[in-house]
Amino acid sequence: MSEPETQASDGTPADAPEQGIYGEDGVISATFLAHIGASIADRDTLALKEDVGRLHQSEIGDLLEALMPEQRRALVQLMGEEFDFTALTEVDDTIRLDIVGGLPNAQIAQALQQLDSDDAVYILEDLAQEDQDEILARLPFTERVRLRRSLGYPEETAGRRMQTEFVAVPPFWTVGQTIDYMREDQNLPETFSQIFVIDPTFRLVGAVDLDRILRTQRAVKIEDVMRETRHAIPATMDQEEAAQIFEQYDLLSAAVVDENERLVGVLTIDDVVDVITQEAEEDLMRMGGVGDEELSDTVLAASRSRVPWLMVNLVTAFLAASVISLFEGTIQQIVALAVLMPIVAGMGGNAGSQTMTVTVRALATRDLDIYNAGRIIRREMGVGLLNGIIFATLIGLIAGIWFEDVNLGAIIATAMIINMFVAATAGILIPLLLDRLGADPAVASSVFLTTVTDVVGFFAFLGLATWWFGLL
């Protein structure tokens, strides 16, 4: 006879997680993960629906990323209709595609009907076109039209991120009519903070905040309490530019309009926060030369994303090596040069990277423009010169004492000043030039900067050494 299951004082099984899903380090606790893994292995649907069904979508996203691939797919299948597909907007693209790819299109179509339009688009946009068409064909006509319109806008634009569920009323309605409409209509979005005002052609006229509605008498017309919408966002606007508008004007939501100024959707602060995070991560990854790589990518995919820029770096490394080869004779006579020359190039590279990072971020946030570029360039050149003098003094003293040669200390100190000044100058001019040419400075700046600092560093140090010791 089997032993009765041990239960805690509150009646829950003893092996169930006692507290939250996160440990003290802020990641999914091993206890909770093991408990979910055991439920998946036992195909315990009831336990999974109880333990996972109570979680927030972001928590489910973290759980999916912590599970093994086969466990993720099994979890979604076992949860069935009770799985919150909004959680798929919280995971890496690779994980989302892996999960969705294992589900029939009919199940995906049914799940999308429960989501806000912006979340539905987020899931649909990475699918193959034939899968998109089949899923959309299974949706009600109105939802299908809305989603097709959003998917018709370019990627990473406001049109892709907007929510097509919103509240819009004509200007001649009274506040009372508007309140009654919001109470009775069953198709309104679950949460909203603004009511938009439109004319008969659906052109945006203005907006009214909900708090203004609640403070106004029922007989007052909407046109008397509305305000003009000064920050309507074109659907084709880049999502990063839209996020900057939210940041500048402290918006909670904003109307999205088409080329004819007709209201097509609303962009909300929760989506904008995701955009800001996404764009910051992209800039950081691109500056490191790893493209759109994600932690969930396979070895082959990760390698493929890194190889191109490593190949470019290899070419530039040969360029730096060719500069060194010009002074091969000098290096053979003075071996200390081979020991010290990486210091000059390395310090220049680090100094240039500091300036480049500040510049790329300033360009992304539009803090750096044509009006203040001259002042910022002069500032960075001054910083490069000052830091060059500071570290030139330090490295010159160390090198002079180490190799017991004052001349060598003076040479490396001079080369250090030259290279750190050039590095700081290049660190701001290269991103500015790339931005002016229409290229992404976050992607290409580091490669050109490394080439400049290596070539100038080696040439300055070895050239000065050849010239100076040639005079002695």
Side-chain angles (χ1 to χ4, degrees), residues 29 31 70 208 229 303 348 414:
S29 70
T31 302
E70 60 274 8
V208 185
T229 305
S303 174
T414 305

Side-chain angles (χ1 to χ4, degrees), residues 387-401:
N387 287 345
I389 293 173
I390 293 173
F391 287 97
T393 303
L394 182 61
I395 192 62
L397 290 173
I398 294 174
I401 296 172

